[in-house]
Amino acid sequence: GSKDTKAAPVATAIATIGDIENTVSALGKIGPKTYVDVGAQLSGQLEHLHVDVGDRVEQGALLAEIDPRIYESQVEGNRARVDSLKAQLSERQASLELAKATHTRNQSVAERGLIAREVLDTSAASLKQAQAQIVSLHAQLKEAQSTLDGNIANLSYSRIYAPIAGTVVSLTALEGQTLNANQTAPTILRIADLDTMTVTAQVAEADIVRIQTDMAAYFSTLGQPDRRWQGVVRQIQPTPDIVNEVVLYKVLIDVDNSDGALLPDMTAQVFFTVSQARGVVTVPIAAVFSPPQANGASFVRVPCRPACGIGKKSKSCPA
């Protein structure tokens, strides 16, 4: 006799109301949106370093000091020259007043014919000479003052202040180190504003056409995979990175980090929301893409939507 064969049970799932979205995923690195590499404009020994990695500083805070003695001596020398030229100028102005008075007196006497013409010409020449010396001294004083101002500015560069408020994230020079700023300005430290971070995601060329500025995005980190940070696309950089013949474009996303949970160089798994639907009927992905059943059916049966008679045992329909 024949044996009864039992058909394999049909897998079912409940159709529910939920949200769905179409996303593009990419890996990214987290870094501060705003940072400044603080360098030295003077050569010399780094005499004092007032901060360490991790310190939070306000704008204008004193960060470091370079040995100022050479620049102080230059300023003192320039100031002495300025003072000397000012003294010479006072002397020449007195000589000018005397030359003016002498020439005026000679003109009055010459009108009455009491002195020779040569005496009047000599006083006139002396007056012009005194005037020319005044002009020359004014020019020399202006040059000396300019040099003094420049060296005073250089002296002020021996004290390095924070250009922005933020956190010291790295130190590239040590106290006592000699800095050489003759060719390039040596970097001493980096200050970063960690309150706003930027995720730099690398998106493949096949997906970059789907990404737009101001598009919503979210990401998670390896340390907190269950937490989702929200952001928007700020910029799509047009120049790609080519890694092993794979073309990757950089997409920048800004995110608030007021709680300090995100740190520089963290890895982020980024999802760009291309489209989404909220409050729609959802079914498991297996109901849409399922392997063929033994009897040739290629769909999974689920309880029907209300239009199909949900709740009625006698009816069912494919999702």
Side-chain angles (χ1 to χ4, degrees):
S2 61
K3 295 182 179 179
D4 295 335
T5 58
K6 294 184 179 180
V10 177
T12 62
I14 303 297
T16 59
I17 302 297
D19 302 332
I20 58 174
E21 60 184 16
N22 180 22
T23 61
V24 171
S25 62
L27 286 177
K29 281 290 184 182
I30 300 173
K33 179 182 179 182
T34 303
Y35 66 89
V36 176
D37 288 327
V38 181
Q41 294 180 259
L42 299 181
S43 297
Q45 186 180 53
L46 186 58
E47 197 169 41
H48 299 292
L49 194 59
H50 298 286
V51 293
D52 202 352
V53 175
D55 290 350
R56 188 172 182 86
V57 297
E58 297 299 325
Q59 185 176 10
L62 180 62
L63 303 177
E65 295 178 72
I66 297 173
D67 185 358
R69 287 175 293 180
I70 293 177
Y71 306 99
E72 288 174 344
S73 65
Q74 291 176 350
V75 168
E76 291 303 318
N78 297 146
R79 186 170 283 123
R81 173 158 174 76
V82 168
D83 292 341
S84 174
L85 288 172
K86 286 182 178 179
Q88 293 180 45
L89 182 60
S90 298
E91 179 186 355
R92 294 302 179 184
Q93 286 175 338
S95 298
L96 176 62
E97 294 300 322
L98 177 60
K100 283 182 179 179
T102 301
H103 184 60
T104 301
R105 183 171 57 252
N106 288 344
Q107 282 180 321
S108 177
V109 175
E111 289 175 355
R112 298 194 298 270
L114 299 178
I115 61 173
R117 182 68 184 179
E118 292 81 3
V119 176
L120 180 63
D121 292 341
T122 300
S123 64
S126 298
L127 176 58
K128 288 183 179 180
Q129 184 180 14
Q131 291 172 335
Q133 290 174 343
I134 293 292
V135 173
S136 176
L137 281 174
H138 273 298
Q140 293 179 55
L141 182 59
K142 185 176 181 181
E143 179 185 9
Q145 185 66 51
S146 177
T147 303
L148 173 61
D149 293 341
N151 283 330
I152 288 176
N154 281 337
L155 179 60
S156 69
Y157 296 150
S158 66
R159 297 169 63 87
I160 300 171
Y161 299 92
I164 62 170
T167 302
V168 179
V169 295
S170 66
L171 289 175
T172 52
L174 301 176
E175 194 170 285
Q177 182 175 337
T178 300
L179 306 175
N180 183 2
N182 292 327
Q183 295 180 346
T184 57
T187 299
I188 296 177
L189 53 87
R190 172 176 289 187
I191 297 176
D193 180 5
L194 301 182
D195 290 337
T196 302
M197 304 295 280
T198 296
V199 181
T200 303
Q202 293 188 313
V203 180
E205 60 177 320
D207 295 324
I208 194 64
V209 294
R210 304 168 65 190
I211 309 299
Q212 299 177 355
T213 56
D214 298 327
M215 175 183 286
Y218 60 89
F219 66 92
S220 59
T221 62
L222 295 177
Q224 294 179 286
D226 297 330
R227 180 173 177 180
R228 176 183 291 190
W229 278 269
Q230 302 287 344
V232 295
V233 175
R234 169 166 61 91
Q235 182 185 20
I236 302 173
Q237 296 185 349
T239 303
D241 291 334
I242 301 177
V243 181
N244 296 329
E245 298 185 357
V246 177
V247 181
L248 300 171
Y249 290 87
K250 292 181 180 178
V251 180
L252 307 184
I253 305 152
D254 294 337
V255 62
D256 178 70
N257 187 39
S258 55
D259 62 352
L262 299 175
L263 297 175
D265 292 329
M266 281 185 171
T267 300
Q269 178 67 48
V270 186
F271 298 90
F272 301 92
T273 306
V274 177
S275 59
Q276 61 182 351
R278 299 184 180 276
V280 296
V281 177
T282 63
V283 295
I285 192 68
V288 182
F289 301 103
S290 60
Q293 303 296 319
N295 58 5
S298 60
F299 60 85
V300 177
R301 299 162 69 86
V302 298
C304 301
R305 305 180 210 179
C308 298
I310 191 168
K312 297 181 181 179
K313 297 182 179 180
S314 60
K315 292 187 178 183
S316 64
C317 65

